[in-house]
Amino acid sequence: MIHQNILLLLLPSHHIAFGAQAKVSPFSPCQANHRLVAFFPHRLRSSLSRPIALASFDSEILQEGLNRVLPAGSVLPKKYSTSAKEITVREALNSALDEEMSADPKVFLMGEEVGEYQGAYKISKGLLEKYGPERVLDTPITEAGFAGIGVGAAYYGLRPIVEFMTFNFSMQAIDHIINSAAKSNYMSAGQISVPIVFRGPNGAAAGVGAQHSQCFGAWYAHVPGLKVLTPYSSEDARGLLKAAIRDPDPVVFLENELLYGESFPVSAEALDSSFCLPIGKAKIEREGKDVTITAFSKMVGYALQAADVLSTEGISAEVINLRSIRPLDRATINASVRKTNRLITVEEGFPQHGVGAEICMSVVEESFEYLDAPVERIAGADVPMPYAANLERMAVPQVDDIVRAAKRACYRAVPLAAAA
Amino acid sequence: MAASAVVRRLSSAPLRDHRLLRPFSSTGSESTITVETSVPFTGHKINPPSRSVETTPVELLSFFRDMSLMRRMEIAADSLYKSKLIRGFCHLYDGQESIAIGLEAAITKKDAIITAYRDHCICLGRGGTLVESFAELMGRRAGCSKGKGGSMHFYKKESGFFGGHGIVGAQVPLGCGLAFAQKYLKEGTVSFALYGDGAANQGQLFEALNISALWDLPAILVCENNHYGMGTAEWRSSKSPAYYKRGDYVPGLKVDGMDVLAVKQASKFAKEYALKNGPIILEMDTYRYHGHSMSDPGSTYRTRDEISGVRQERDPIERIRKLLLSHEIATVSDLKDIEKEVRREVEEAIAQAKENLMPDPSELFTNVYVKGFGVESFGADRKEVKAILP
């Protein structure tokens, strides 16, 4: 698979790169009077039988390589590398905010500590300096007030991004999110649209206790008129935040504090400023054939780890990163269950009336005959979040829990734990 | 306000279709009349405007006609509700018309107004038509919200009316948000957020006021103090019923809300102030003749004497009638003719609205989103009723 590792230097005249020699048009790579310099990482040299030279370059490899670097319709990327570039979720969110604020002067950011403090979690770092205090606004600690002001600004036609320091505090403003934002387009029969994004960290962090650890995915996804997004990786964070800011409807964007510092590889396409992910489409993070595991946000990472463990035991798990819990990608989930016949839903939040319950019902409605085992549900414990580390560990799903549930669904005998 | 401007508005707004029945010679339509407001304004941390208000005969006549139209509309809505053509909630504004009209006289359609659920007359003042209003109340497709909003959710965005909100107090931060946007876009316009004495104690109001004052937003908070929050008199709900002073660091003005000229003067003053200095509070001392809503008789917490007393002493339409008569701008029969005409207009609009159809069943699923991405939505039995959101 040489084409994945080839660094192709396709050079618009104003770009300078390693050892470049001439201009090459990306769409006519093999014109004889152009020269292409291909730069191979040292680790691949051994696999090459001959150095790549000028017009004798194999056009098929080049074309495949081009397809990877330049997906159809995208702008020529400015930077790309052999090993995929890695950025943290924090950097991804910051760059998404920056690009969207740059692209549309109606976009502005407001919340506690987003400006001079550079963001409580540094997500809005540098934005105050770049865009000024009229577009990056530090608010007092008054969620009901500033969320309402944000919604009112959206009524008038601006595109606010309202940050909650955590979504636990959004409960103070929930009337505005639901009654003032979500329902307005419907009640006004389309006169008042609300292009607002409510974003911030959601769910458990580490040791922050009961009032600071709740997952609000199920609550907001319950409401028609809202869109609820739950990014996992850096690519998700960038693509979904950009989509949310461009979206004409109110979007609740649930991030996760513990993911902010995690790095993920991002493709060149994802780094482009026009990059956007579709809202309402889940991503199959890992293909499998024995059991489907759905997850969102931080739990995607846990599900992937569980899939690794399961593969050592001969169970091939398909991991679906929901990305969007409203609209929920029922098509992808059902298609996967029809393939694997078994389903585990994973979420961090409280189990009763949760996201997993909705997914289970969707599968029962649409793919009942395909199920070979009851749907399993892994969720946070049905208790307020405790502080002590051992109890906290029990209150949040662990990789073991997901593995065990998958095995149950595959009818691999697992001794039942004695009731606590 | 120049008479010519008033005449232009008179002819363009559907509300005002007035033609004088006979020319009058004593006062030309261009001449200005100066009238004193019923009481002087009281200021909190601000010098109040003068109580001498300039007006013209044409403007006074338009006030009379427009307020009579609003009065008639609300009374008609009362009957429609009792005949079960209007369902759910219906909060009537009769007695308070002078606030809607006085406000409109001082501002443009580029300024924004947002209010709570007692919104029928505000919408009319903003350019809503009678047919749109009655159709919305009866849940028909010609309604201003296509029948999907109801009494509490009238909107007219193109002329700066942002609703119509059911949650007490929520409209105040929203109104401050409108002001934020106006300032952000450098439009030189202001937003009026109307709320009642009941809502005046809401925490979010003070949160929004704090931010508005910090950021100098052109927001004008108008407390329509009709002295009763549903069944609770103001002295039972508010430790300090001096709502114009509640802004503390934000200046306020107390206004006789039943004197349309006082409302006009105060609104004009407030707009000029807000554009330069940030938020200001106007407390309109007013009264509602009906109960809180149609399910409230309005007489268990106040005496009939009180209600009829206010009607005799302070009715906004009667005040203008007296002015018109005393300045010989119109005769008693002129004014009766106007009232008859207004009545006829309202009846015609009701007839038209009654004939209008209810929304098509497919409308259940429209406007959930602006952009639905082809997502599915479901009815009560999702195997029976499903829709794709465009």
Side-chain angles (χ1 to χ4, degrees):
Chain A
M1 301 256 275
I2 294 175
H3 65 271
Q4 281 177 320
N5 304 98
I6 295 174
L7 171 65
L8 294 173
L9 302 174
L10 303 168
L11 308 162
S13 56
H14 54 283
H15 280 191
I16 301 169
F18 328 81
Q21 293 188 14
K23 263 199 280 190
V24 175
S25 158
F27 302 106
S28 56
C30 292
Q31 287 170 4
N33 55 352
H34 281 105
R35 293 200 292 173
L36 180 77
V37 176
F39 188 87
F40 291 91
H42 59 87
R43 62 190 158 103
L44 272 192
R45 223 156 262 154
S46 53
S47 60
L48 291 177
S49 53
R50 58 181 165 87
I52 305 297
L54 308 164
S56 56
F57 196 93
D58 187 320
S59 64
E60 217 178 275
I61 293 177
L62 180 56
Q63 194 55 54
E64 280 176 54
L66 282 168
N67 288 341
R68 277 207 69 80
V69 174
L70 294 175
S74 77
V75 175
L76 194 65
K78 293 189 185 70
K79 47 183 190 279
Y80 45 88
S81 62
T82 54
S83 51
K85 182 170 156 104
E86 289 211 341
I87 60 171
T88 61
V89 170
R90 178 179 287 115
E91 288 165 343
L93 293 169
N94 183 272
S95 61
L97 289 170
D98 189 357
E99 287 164 20
E100 293 305 306
M101 286 183 74
S102 168
D104 185 349
K106 296 212 175 106
V107 176
F108 69 95
L109 174 65
M110 129 166 118
E112 294 153 14
E113 311 296 355
V114 296
E116 292 187 16
Y117 197 85
Q118 307 296 319
Y121 302 98
K122 305 292 180 265
I123 306 297
S124 52
K125 186 164 178 205
L127 295 180
L128 174 63
E129 203 178 21
K130 188 165 177 187
Y131 296 103
E134 283 176 8
R135 295 184 68 194
V136 179
L137 299 128
D138 282 322
T139 61
I141 309 172
T142 52
E143 277 78 5
F146 69 72
I149 286 180
V151 175
Y155 280 7
Y156 202 85
L158 295 184
R159 305 189 80 95
I161 303 168
V162 173
E163 177 175 308
F164 292 117
M165 202 181 279
T166 76
F167 263 91
N168 301 285
F169 316 135
S170 73
M171 287 197 283
Q172 307 221 300
I174 201 167
D175 178 61
H176 282 296
I177 300 173
I178 297 183
N179 280 324
S180 305
K183 298 177 183 173
S184 283
N185 197 56
Y186 191 85
M187 289 193 296
S188 67
Q191 270 189 72
I192 311 271
S193 70
V194 192
I196 193 168
V197 176
F198 298 101
R199 50 160 290 273
N202 174 60
V208 293
Q211 293 178 338
H212 289 75
S213 305
Q214 191 164 335
C215 172
F216 289 87
W219 282 28
Y220 290 121
H222 186 64
V223 181
L226 283 182
K227 291 172 181 165
V228 183
L229 302 178
T230 50
Y232 161 61
S233 63
S234 300
E235 183 174 311
D236 287 355
R238 256 182 75 77
L240 291 176
L241 185 54
K242 284 156 89 59
I245 295 170
R246 295 180 201 176
D247 197 275
D249 293 305
V251 180
V252 171
F253 193 83
L254 302 174
E255 302 160 4
N256 185 289
E257 193 206 317
L258 299 174
L259 285 176
Y260 283 153
E262 262 191 55
S263 289
F264 294 86
V266 276
S267 65
E269 185 197 356
L271 290 170
D272 185 79
S273 64
S274 64
F275 178 64
C276 210
L277 282 175
I279 291 181
K281 292 274 169 281
K283 179 185 180 198
I284 307 215
E285 290 285 347
R286 179 186 173 126
E287 284 192 19
K289 53 181 185 49
D290 295 328
V291 61
T292 299
I293 306 178
T294 64
F296 60 92
S297 189
K298 185 150 181 304
M299 291 292 123
V300 176
Y302 283 28
L304 288 168
Q305 287 179 53
D308 283 337
V309 171
L310 288 165
S311 72
T312 66
E313 309 201 21
I315 298 177
S316 151
E318 177 150 292
V319 176
I320 301 182
N321 170 6
L322 293 174
R323 281 182 167 174
S324 168
I325 53 172
R326 186 168 189 115
L328 193 59
D329 191 349
R330 299 170 205 279
T332 300
I333 297 168
N334 278 283
S336 174
V337 173
R338 288 178 182 212
K339 184 173 73 166
T340 64
N341 312 122
R342 294 159 211 278
L343 174 62
I344 320 295
T345 67
V346 182
E347 65 197 290
E348 201 185 84
F350 300 134
Q352 191 162 336
H353 310 298
V355 175
E358 173 62 30
I359 294 175
C360 173
M361 195 59 206
S362 176
V363 164
V364 162
E365 282 164 352
E366 295 183 36
S367 311
F368 182 69
E369 313 78 38
Y370 292 81
L371 283 170
D372 283 348
V375 176
E376 295 277 350
R377 164 170 61 169
I378 293 295
D382 205 9
V383 297
M385 181 67 67
Y387 166 66
N390 62 333
L391 295 181
E392 188 186 56
R393 209 176 309 119
M394 288 167 68
V396 179
Q398 304 297 331
V399 175
D400 289 345
D401 294 313
I402 305 173
V403 169
R404 194 183 316 113
K407 283 185 181 165
R408 273 202 305 262
C410 294
Y411 295 120
R412 301 285 190 87
V414 175
L416 285 171
Chain B
M1 182 183 263
S4 53
V6 173
V7 171
R8 229 180 294 128
R9 276 167 8 114
L10 272 178
S11 53
S12 60
L15 173 61
R16 306 180 183 96
D17 191 28
H18 179 65
R19 280 171 243 310
L20 296 172
L21 291 179
R22 61 151 200 255
F24 46 87
S25 51
S26 53
T27 38
S29 55
E30 293 290 321
S31 65
T32 316
I33 304 171
T34 307
V35 184
E36 295 250 298
T37 61
S38 60
V39 290
F41 299 101
T42 321
H44 166 72
K45 300 206 170 154
I46 196 165
N47 285 327
S50 150
R51 65 188 286 204
S52 299
V53 186
E54 300 217 321
T55 182
T56 67
V58 172
E59 185 179 58
L60 287 175
L61 273 164
S62 80
F63 285 167
F64 181 83
R65 186 178 201 282
D66 296 344
M67 288 198 285
S68 302
L69 193 71
M70 289 180 174
R71 177 71 55 92
R72 189 77 353 234
M73 176 177 76
E74 296 294 76
I75 293 175
D78 177 304
S79 324
L80 287 174
Y81 192 91
K82 288 176 175 148
S83 29
K84 299 207 196 289
L85 282 162
I86 300 178
R87 311 175 314 117
F89 292 125
C90 189
H91 306 86
L92 298 175
Y93 200 71
D94 50 319
Q96 302 184 210
E97 301 89 349
S98 38
I99 299 178
I101 295 295
L103 191 51
E104 287 299 332
I107 64 176
T108 71
K109 294 292 187 280
K110 291 262 189 285
D111 297 304
I113 301 183
I114 194 168
T115 186
Y117 41 76
R118 207 174 297 278
D119 58 345
H120 312 159
C121 297
I122 306 282
C123 190
L124 212 63
R126 287 265 91 183
T129 66
L130 287 170
V131 176
E132 262 175 6
S133 305
F134 286 118
E136 187 60 39
L137 288 171
M138 295 195 273
R140 308 297 169 96
R141 58 179 72 181
C144 53
S145 306
K146 300 202 187 137
K148 288 166 75 164
S151 163
M152 298 186 288
H153 305 296
F154 281 27
Y155 300 87
K156 198 131 188 102
K157 187 175 174 183
E158 74 254 22
S159 35
F161 180 51
F162 290 86
H165 289 273
I167 307 295
V168 170
Q171 76 276 19
V172 178
L174 294 173
C176 295
L178 295 171
F180 177 90
Q182 289 170 324
K183 181 167 182 177
Y184 189 100
L185 295 169
K186 302 188 171 35
E187 303 216 329
T189 52
V190 297
S191 292
F192 289 83
L194 276 51
Y195 61 99
D197 46 291
N201 294 311
Q202 276 262 315
Q204 57 186 319
L205 189 155
F206 296 96
E207 295 187 13
L209 198 59
N210 176 49
I211 294 180
S212 304
L214 270 175
W215 297 350
D216 295 320
L217 303 182
I220 299 155
L221 272 61
V222 180
C223 179
E224 296 182 287
N225 182 5
N226 56 27
H227 308 284
Y228 294 93
M230 204 154 133
T232 305
E234 66 182 327
W235 59 270
R236 287 211 301 138
S237 79
S238 306
K239 190 71 180 172
S240 161
Y243 300 108
Y244 71 109
K245 287 189 185 167
R246 291 285 212 85
D248 184 16
Y249 42 83
V250 171
L253 209 60
K254 187 163 167 154
V255 184
D256 177 1
M258 299 188 94
D259 177 353
V260 67
L261 291 167
V263 174
K264 174 187 157 186
Q265 183 88 319
S267 307
K268 194 153 153 273
F269 176 79
K271 176 171 174 175
E272 279 162 24
Y273 180 88
L275 279 172
K276 279 205 294 276
N277 309 18
I280 182 172
I281 296 181
L282 297 178
E283 181 187 336
M284 304 283 177
D285 187 346
T286 184
Y287 200 83
R288 53 164 163 81
Y289 298 138
H290 269 88
H292 163 73
S293 72
M294 285 306 299
S295 48
D296 168 25
S299 51
T300 55
Y301 48 86
R302 50 187 194 172
T303 62
R304 292 194 195 278
D305 284 342
E306 182 189 290
I307 305 171
S308 57
V310 174
R311 216 188 262 278
Q312 272 179 313
E313 312 278 312
R314 300 180 63 202
D315 186 272
I317 301 177
E318 291 314 304
R319 175 188 298 281
I320 297 299
R321 191 197 301 271
K322 287 197 195 102
L323 263 178
L324 288 168
L325 295 173
S326 69
H327 286 267
E328 294 178 346
I329 297 170
T331 64
V332 170
S333 73
D334 283 337
L335 299 180
K336 280 221 191 321
D337 287 337
I338 294 176
E339 286 177 308
K340 260 192 263 173
E341 212 188 298
V342 148
R343 206 183 190 118
R344 192 181 42 82
E345 240 184 84
V346 166
E347 281 164 10
E348 272 169 21
I350 293 177
Q352 216 182 318
K354 274 185 182 166
E355 277 171 37
N356 194 238
L357 294 171
M358 286 199 176
D360 187 87
S362 65
E363 291 284 345
L364 181 66
F365 294 107
T366 57
N367 310 122
V368 176
Y369 293 127
V370 173
K371 228 175 170 186
F373 305 113
V375 129
E376 281 183 323
S377 185
F378 306 99
D381 180 350
R382 52 174 60 197
K383 299 204 168 153
E384 265 292 299
V385 181
K386 236 196 309 203
I388 304 289
L389 302 182

